[in-house]
Amino acid sequence: MNARILFWILFFSIFAPGVYGQDLVRDCIDVNDQGEGLSLAIDGLGKMHLSHGTRVQGNLRYTVVDVDGSVVHQSVANRLHRFPTSETLGTGIVLDGDTVFLCFHNQLAQTMNFAARSNGVWQTSIIESNVTGDGCAISMLADQVDVFYEANGNLRWAKKIGDAQWTRQTVDGSRERVGVLPSVARSQNGNLVVAYRDMENLSLKVALLSADGWQIERPVNPFPNGGHNARV
């Protein structure tokens, strides 16, 4: 279990609001290169839910760490990339009661994907085809699911309400490569906020959805090469 995985589990364990806390250290991914693209959610009982990729096999896995320390792994999708040295740089996870939702890139198939686990069964679907990129983030409010992801150098937004089809649009296509490793949250009034990396300018960008559409800003950063693994 590498230091980055341990850090984020510690961080969310300490600061996640309204949950029953576990002990601060859990050994949950015991083999190197099994925690790529790690994303974490904690439910109201204190269970940790992780989505992550495996480098050599190129698979997407879902891991649950219970409050008693027991660990359960499930395979969600196989062969996400072509070569054993390729990396899965970002996945997304969100919980809705007992249902788990994931987003992930399949670099081999060049698709952006959505997976839902209900009653112990995974169902996967394609959000968009013919796209490549690094990272995705997922948000849910009532029966609306929002997924943000890099697609061929653009920041894309896919939305689905209930059983309807996905609708997609470009949020930021201003540079040769933006939208890398996005993170999503909602403001106090429920508006979507997305932070992501501009690879061309090596900087952080933030997009806010308002009644007038998407407002995009580049926060002032006194340090060069910013926006790595942005979180909002």
Side-chain angles (χ1 to χ4, degrees):
M1 182 174 179
N2 63 41
R4 182 177 298 176
I5 295 170
L6 178 60
F7 170 80
W8 283 112
I9 291 176
L10 288 173
F11 179 88
F12 280 101
S13 298
I14 296 171
F15 294 106
V19 300
Y20 175 80
Q22 296 193 34
D23 294 338
L24 292 182
V25 178
R26 293 296 190 202
D27 292 326
C28 53
I29 304 172
D30 56 3
V31 180
N32 288 335
D33 294 331
Q34 301 291 300
E36 294 192 331
L38 179 70
S39 186
L40 170 67
I42 303 176
D43 65 25
L45 298 177
K47 292 182 181 180
M48 300 177 186
H49 303 255
L50 304 96
S51 61
H52 54 101
T54 63
R55 173 177 288 190
V56 176
Q57 299 92 342
N59 300 333
L60 177 69
R61 300 182 77 186
Y62 165 69
T63 296
V64 178
V65 185
D66 210 331
V67 294
D68 63 2
S70 60
V71 179
V72 176
H73 302 289
Q74 290 184 345
S75 180
V76 181
N78 298 324
R79 296 295 307 278
L80 300 186
H81 47 68
R82 188 181 302 276
F83 302 108
T85 55
S86 300
E87 295 182 324
T88 301
L89 293 183
T91 65
I93 185 170
V94 69
L95 308 177
D96 181 30
D98 293 330
T99 304
V100 183
F101 299 100
L102 306 180
C103 65
F104 60 98
H105 278 282
N106 186 322
Q107 304 290 11
L108 183 61
Q110 296 188 348
T111 56
M112 184 66 227
N113 304 272
F114 176 76
R117 180 182 182 270
S118 182
N119 297 321
V121 178
W122 285 102
Q123 293 184 338
T124 61
S125 59
I126 294 175
I127 297 175
E128 186 170 5
S129 299
N130 301 315
V131 296
T132 60
D134 289 327
C136 65
I138 186 168
S139 174
M140 187 164 189
L141 182 64
D143 61 347
Q144 176 175 319
V145 181
D146 301 277
V147 179
F148 296 87
Y149 53 99
E150 183 196 359
N152 304 327
N154 300 319
L155 176 63
R156 293 278 281 172
W157 172 31
K159 180 176 71 175
K160 185 169 80 75
I161 300 176
D163 295 328
Q165 298 296 312
W166 291 99
T167 61
R168 300 174 297 272
Q169 70 177 73
T170 297
V171 175
D172 187 353
S174 61
R175 299 289 180 180
E176 291 185 3
R177 191 178 181 197
V178 294
V180 178
L181 297 176
S183 173
V184 61
R186 289 186 179 270
S187 64
Q188 290 184 342
N189 59 7
N191 289 340
L192 289 162
V193 183
V194 186
Y196 54 97
R197 180 165 163 81
D198 177 346
M199 286 294 292
E200 183 177 348
N201 290 306
L202 302 179
S203 63
L204 171 68
K205 298 186 78 173
V206 178
L208 170 66
L209 182 61
S210 68
D212 298 324
W214 286 100
Q215 311 299 317
I216 299 175
E217 298 183 1
R218 191 188 309 275
V220 176
N221 184 359
F223 303 102
N225 199 12
H228 286 282
N229 294 299
R231 291 294 181 265
V232 62

